[in-house]
């Protein structure tokens, strides 16, 4: 029987306050690469991993969302509460609770540890970030803390290699029984104060001064906003300026590859499929990889540094004016990378109505999939020159598009909030310590984004390009036909059939065709346009020539109208699928799709008409 | 003729890939049917196992058929 117990994996769960380093510890122990960042609320679902201790004991480890208390106030905290209490459906209660505390914030985190302790389950306490605490001048008497808490206490630096060896050793011989109840009937706050007084030497005021001085600028209502806008502005300038040499290199490589394949394969249907379908389609999107990586580099640096929660704090007043709480900031900010994790991050919002409104707004944030569409059209229609001697006009237009999305989201929130009163939930936000971004984590984050982007190109975009090539090539024109062959194809017919609906907003039939596969993911529209123009035209290298081709064939009004469409249109199946999952039905999906498509059509119509009025129409 | 055959196979494979993403229950039924055929013709065991694996594959835990969050990478689709 004892042998059986040894073989069966130990079920352990990581619990703790948000941003105490649970996921970093989970990654360190299990070798996973779950997302970590220097702000609260990154993990909103339970994650599971496995590890083997140095003594050979298998452990099944759960990483739970951070919680301030076991009295849950939001859906993500409810997951932690239910798992700890053994009430989570399909999940037996953990045999060991690993309570992770940030050594730099013991006053808050010890309170949660005492609450977990009251459950009476076997537990250990991990003092994480002891290196940061040491840098701040804190001295923690670990044996004394262990004695006072009555549970094993170990230290860790979860982001450092081999930073959790003490915990691994402890998992070889974990406590089998829960701690005895604390003596007396002391209030938890009094207990925390006593523990801090007995076990922790506080840092001197001077060592805290630098962060405080920085926060005085960063959180200033005036200078803080100036810094925030300057950061965003430089970010979009960098997306265009830094990426250009790499994009030119990839573009050249794709063109050369297309030419090589064209010479190797004989003229015919297979050559057309590979060159006009796959290379023209996927090649045009691959070119945007450097821009996407630069955008993510900025986002990752801001995440790791601890700046983002400060930006949330700063924007709380502006968001409150639109009827949103500051808690919506992190989900909306995550949506700049992708709306899917952004919508999932709304689980940290307590108020159900606020949560629904944030879900409705998330698709309006400019996700990275829009970047190829924006960049293509900006490069084709906006002159490449500097403004005021330093600012790149392309970057300026991109910044404007992002701002347009943000302002639209605030306007929509304001309108939605007028529909009903909600209980006020003031923003209570934990500001993490500033941290220099870890180069290894940045590299890993960028590598993951590159892999995700390239696997999307290799699966979604290549397969859709092949299908679109088939639809654009067949059926062949009848004998004696005089028009372009693509007009007789299925795609051509679908495009012309859709045209009456989209002509009032300035779209041509090629755009109509590109919108259909573009429903799968926004960037597919770029590859679809490349394929349609490659099959329908005489160009030998549509992948490289799409930008000049569009500037020659489209009017400025059409390009602006399409940009306006992409600011609003919910062209992403995954986003709609996650809304269905998070809201548990199709009602919100229908509402989201209807209002966003309606908004997209109206914005494109107004843009098209205004552009025509100002002389941007076809010449 | 060979070119047409290769192109047809590629286009059908891409169509099947999208059918799997948009309607996974339909493709699972198709794989199950293929499995029965392979059993009947006594196809090699690895081939039958591969088809059985696809027929009984659990749907992705992520959204829109995405399996990004099932993997250790933590990547979202």
């Amino acid at each position: 029987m004892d042998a059986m117990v040894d073989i069966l994996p130990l079920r352990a769960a990581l619990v703790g306050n948000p941003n105490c380093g649970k996921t970093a510890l989970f990654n360190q122990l299990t070798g996973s690469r779950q997302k970590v960042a220097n702000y609260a609320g990154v993990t909103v679902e339970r994650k599971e991993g496995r590890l083997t201790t140095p003594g050979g004991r298998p452990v099944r480890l759960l990483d739970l969302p951070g919680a301030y208390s076991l009295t849950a106030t939001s859906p993500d905290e409810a997951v932690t509460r239910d798992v700890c209490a053994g009430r989570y459906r399909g999940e037996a209660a953990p045999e060991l609770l690993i309570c992770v505390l940030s050594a730099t914030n013991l006053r808050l985190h010890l309170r949660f540890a005492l609450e977990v302790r009251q459950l009476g389950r076997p537990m250990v306490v991990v003092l994480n970030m002891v290196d940061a605490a040491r840098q701040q001048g804190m001295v923690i008497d670990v044996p004394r803390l262990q004695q006072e808490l009555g549970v094993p206490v170990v230290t860790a630096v979860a982001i450092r290699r081999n930073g959790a060896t003490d915990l691994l050793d402890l998992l070889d011989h974990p406590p089998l029984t829960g701690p005895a109840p604390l003596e007396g009937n002391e209030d938890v706050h009094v207990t925390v104060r006593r523990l801090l007084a007995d076990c922790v030497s506080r840092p001197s005021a001077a060592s805290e001064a630098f962060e405080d001085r920085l926060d005085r600028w960063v959180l200033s209502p005036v200078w803080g906003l100036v810094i925030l806008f300057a950061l965003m502005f430089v970010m979009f300038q960098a997306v265009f300026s830094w990426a250009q040499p790499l994009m030119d290199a990839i573009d050249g490589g794709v063109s050369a590859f297309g030419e090589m394949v064209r010479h190797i394969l004989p003229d015919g249907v297979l050559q057309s499929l590979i060159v006009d379908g796959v290379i023209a389609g996927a090649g045009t999107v691959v070119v945007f990889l450097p821009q996407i990586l630069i955008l993510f580099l900025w986002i990752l640096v801001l995440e790791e540094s601890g700046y983002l929660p400060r930006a949330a704090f700063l924007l709380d007043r502006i968001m409150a004016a639109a009827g949103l709480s500051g808690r919506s900031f992190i989900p909306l900010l995550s949506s700049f990378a992708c709306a899917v994790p952004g919508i999932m991050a709304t689980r940290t919002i307590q108020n159900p109505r606020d949560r629904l409104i944030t879900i409705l707004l998330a698709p309006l944030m400019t996700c990275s999939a829009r970047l190829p569409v924006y960049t293509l059209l900006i490069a084709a229609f906006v002159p490449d020159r500097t403004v005021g001697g330093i600012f790149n006009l392309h970057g300026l237009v991109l910044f404007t598009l992002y701002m347009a999305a943000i302002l639209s989201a605030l306007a929509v929130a304001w309108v939605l909030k007028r529909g009903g009163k909600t209980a006020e939930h003031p923003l209570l936000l934990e500001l993490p310590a500033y941290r220099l971004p870890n180069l290894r984590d940045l590299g890993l984050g960028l590598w993951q984004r590159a892999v995700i982007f390239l696997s999307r190109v290799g699966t979604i975009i290549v397969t859709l390009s092949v299908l679109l090539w088939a639809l654009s090539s067949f059926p062949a024109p009848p004998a004696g036909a005089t028009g372009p062959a693509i007009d007789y194809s299925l795609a051509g017919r679908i495009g012309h059939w859709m045209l009456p609906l989209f002509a009032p907003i300035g779209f041509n039939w090629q755009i109509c065709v590109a919108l259909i596969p573009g429903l799968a993911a926004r960037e597919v529209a770029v590859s679809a346009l490349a394929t349609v123009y490659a099959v329908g035209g005489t160009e030998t290298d549509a992948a490289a020539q799409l930008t000049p081709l569009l500037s020659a064939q489209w009017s400025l009004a059409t390009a602006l109208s399409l940009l306006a469409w992409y600011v609003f249109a919910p062209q992403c199946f995954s986003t709609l699928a996650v809304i269905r999952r998070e809201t548990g039905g199709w009602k919100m999906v229908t509402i989201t799709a209807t209002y966003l498509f309606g908004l997209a059509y109206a914005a494109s119509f107004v843009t098209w008409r205004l552009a025509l009025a100002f002389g941007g129409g076809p010449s | 003729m060979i070119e047409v055959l290769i192109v047809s196979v590629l286009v059908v494979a891409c169509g099947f890939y999208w059918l799997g993403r948009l309607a996974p229950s339909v493709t699972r039924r198709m794989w199950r049917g293929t499995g029965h055929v392979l059993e009947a013709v006594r196809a090699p065991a690895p081939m039958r196992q591969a088809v059985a694996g696809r027929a009984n594959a659990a749907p992705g835990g992520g959204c829109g058929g995405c399996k990004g969050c099932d993997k250790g990478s933590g990547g979202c689709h």
Side-chain angles (χ1 to χ4, degrees):
Chain A
M1 188 65 192
D2 281 351
M4 273 294 282
V5 171
D6 284 343
I7 293 165
L8 285 173
L10 173 76
R11 291 193 314 274
L14 293 166
V15 294
N17 281 63
N19 206 35
C20 66
K22 292 179 295 300
T23 304
L25 193 60
F26 178 81
N27 288 346
Q28 169 84 242
L29 293 170
T30 63
S32 294
R33 290 177 188 173
Q34 298 296 341
K35 182 178 169 60
V36 288
N38 188 14
Y39 58 82
V42 177
T43 307
V44 291
E45 279 188 323
R46 66 179 264 298
K47 308 269 184 194
E48 187 182 324
R50 282 169 189 275
L51 68 121
T52 306
T53 62
R57 181 179 193 128
V59 179
R60 191 176 142 239
L61 190 65
L62 292 181
D63 178 24
L64 298 176
Y68 288 106
S69 152
L70 288 176
T71 315
T73 56
S74 58
D76 59 326
E77 284 187 338
V79 172
T80 301
R81 177 200 61 199
D82 291 346
V83 172
C84 288
R87 292 202 304 258
Y88 193 82
R89 204 173 51 166
E91 181 78 61
E95 292 164 301
L96 179 69
L97 292 172
I98 303 172
C99 190
V100 185
L101 317 184
S102 165
T104 58
N105 199 359
L106 285 175
R107 193 169 58 85
L108 182 67
H109 292 201
L110 272 172
R111 209 180 57 148
F112 183 73
L114 290 170
E115 207 178 329
V116 173
R117 192 187 181 287
Q118 290 304 98
L119 291 173
R121 293 186 184 279
M123 73 179 277
V124 297
V125 165
V126 179
L127 281 180
N128 190 24
M129 306 185 206
V130 281
D131 57 336
R134 219 171 286 134
Q135 273 174 9
Q136 290 177 14
M138 288 172 70
V139 179
I140 303 168
D141 186 347
V142 178
R144 178 79 190 270
L145 188 62
Q146 177 166 304
Q147 187 190 343
E148 293 284 340
L149 286 173
V151 297
V153 178
V154 291
T155 58
V157 183
I159 56 166
R160 195 175 293 162
R161 197 186 292 263
N162 300 324
T165 44
D166 290 352
L167 176 62
L168 275 171
D169 291 340
L170 185 68
L171 289 177
D172 266 332
H173 307 286
L176 300 173
T177 54
L182 287 171
E183 287 172 12
N185 200 14
E186 199 174 45
D187 178 75
V188 71
H189 298 284
V190 176
T191 312
V192 169
R193 274 200 293 273
R194 182 172 54 77
L195 287 172
L196 288 175
D198 292 347
C199 311
V200 182
S201 305
R202 308 297 302 163
S204 63
S207 61
E208 284 183 345
F210 174 71
E211 286 211 345
D212 291 344
R213 272 205 308 274
L214 197 58
D215 271 345
R216 216 168 292 139
W217 286 89
V218 169
L219 298 177
S220 148
V222 178
W223 288 110
L225 281 177
V226 171
I227 292 169
L228 177 64
F229 281 100
L231 275 173
M232 283 184 69
F233 193 79
V234 173
M235 180 165 94
F236 295 120
Q237 289 288 316
V239 163
F240 267 98
S241 311
W242 299 358
Q244 203 53 52
L246 277 171
M247 289 177 74
D248 289 344
I250 297 175
D251 201 15
V254 169
S255 304
F257 183 63
E259 276 307 302
M260 191 185 78
V261 173
R262 193 180 287 280
H263 283 109
I264 291 172
L265 291 174
D267 279 350
V269 71
L270 185 61
Q271 187 208 61
S272 176
L273 170 70
I274 302 294
V275 178
D276 299 336
V278 178
I279 297 177
T284 34
V285 180
V286 162
V287 169
F288 297 102
L289 177 65
Q291 285 190 328
I292 286 173
L293 290 186
I294 288 172
L295 184 71
F296 274 103
L297 177 66
W298 278 88
I299 293 175
L300 288 171
V301 168
L302 293 179
E303 274 184 358
E304 290 246 332
S305 64
Y307 176 75
L308 288 190
R310 287 165 171 87
F313 175 78
L314 207 58
L315 292 174
D316 184 45
R317 191 175 293 179
I318 297 172
M319 292 176 73
L324 283 170
S325 87
R327 279 204 169 262
S328 302
F329 178 80
I330 297 292
L332 292 179
L333 193 100
S334 304
S335 303
F336 277 105
C338 174
V340 172
I343 289 167
M344 286 167 72
T346 60
R347 291 180 198 177
T348 57
I349 300 172
Q350 294 121 324
N351 185 305
R353 190 179 161 82
D354 282 356
R355 183 168 177 242
L356 278 183
I357 289 176
T358 310
I359 287 174
L360 282 171
L361 298 181
L364 276 174
M365 298 296 109
T366 307
C367 67
S368 57
R370 284 176 170 104
L371 201 58
V373 182
Y374 286 175
T375 310
L376 176 75
L377 295 177
I378 289 172
F381 291 94
V382 177
D384 187 11
R385 59 184 171 87
T386 52
V387 179
I390 45 170
F391 301 124
N392 178 297
L393 187 58
H394 284 174
L396 213 58
V397 174
L398 189 65
F399 178 73
T400 310
L401 286 167
Y402 272 73
M403 288 310 294
I406 293 168
L407 294 176
S408 310
L410 289 175
V412 170
W414 186 76
V415 171
L416 291 175
K417 277 287 187 170
R418 282 165 63 95
K421 289 182 178 173
T422 57
E424 198 178 330
H425 277 260
L427 176 67
L428 288 171
L429 199 65
E430 189 186 335
L431 294 182
Y434 286 107
R435 208 183 291 159
L436 266 181
N438 182 302
L439 283 179
R440 185 176 168 272
D441 287 347
L442 288 183
L444 207 62
L446 286 182
W447 170 251
Q448 280 180 1
R449 292 318 308 187
V451 168
I452 289 168
F453 178 77
L454 291 175
S455 55
R456 264 163 83 88
V457 171
T459 51
I460 293 177
I461 291 174
V462 164
T463 50
L464 278 176
S465 297
V466 169
L467 291 175
L468 194 63
W469 170 86
L471 290 175
S472 307
S473 306
F474 302 103
T482 51
I486 195 168
D487 281 357
Y488 300 93
S489 71
L490 209 54
R493 285 178 203 178
I494 292 170
H496 284 105
W497 177 74
M498 289 168 68
L499 198 54
L501 180 64
F502 289 97
I505 58 173
F507 290 5
N508 56 28
W509 72 265
Q510 287 94 338
I511 299 176
C512 294
V513 172
L515 289 181
I516 301 171
L519 280 170
R522 290 176 176 93
E523 67 267 47
V524 176
V526 171
S527 63
L529 280 172
T531 303
V532 169
Y533 277 107
V535 175
T538 53
E539 293 72 23
T540 53
D541 187 6
Q545 294 182 2
L546 188 60
T547 304
L549 200 140
L550 294 186
S551 57
Q553 296 204 4
W554 292 9
S555 67
L556 176 64
T558 296
L560 292 177
S561 174
L562 187 57
L563 281 174
W565 174 270
Y566 268 96
V567 170
F568 298 103
Q571 300 241 151
C572 179
F573 280 152
S574 302
T575 302
L576 298 176
V578 80
I579 291 177
R580 199 201 78 81
R581 198 179 72 167
E582 292 296 308
T583 60
W586 288 102
K587 188 180 161 194
M588 288 305 290
V589 179
T590 313
I591 291 172
T592 309
T594 308
Y595 106 86
L596 284 174
F597 274 125
L599 215 54
Y601 197 90
S604 292
F605 182 79
V606 171
T607 308
W608 164 250
R609 284 286 152 197
L610 280 175
L612 287 183
F614 284 98
S619 51
Chain B
M1 187 60 196
I2 292 172
E3 275 193 29
V4 173
L5 197 69
I6 294 170
V7 167
S8 305
V9 168
L10 286 174
V11 172
V12 169
C14 292
F16 200 70
Y17 170 80
W18 274 96
L19 188 66
R21 281 183 75 94
L22 297 173
S25 57
V26 175
T27 44
R28 270 201 296 276
R29 270 205 296 274
M30 289 168 75
W31 283 118
R32 233 167 272 151
T34 311
H36 291 316
V37 173
L38 292 179
E39 285 284 342
V41 300
R42 296 176 185 230
M47 197 187 275
R48 276 182 287 162
Q49 281 162 4
V51 170
R54 289 188 174 274
N56 300 319
C63 30
C66 160
K67 292 182 179 174
C69 52
D70 291 347
K71 294 174 187 166
S73 64
C76 192
H77 68 274

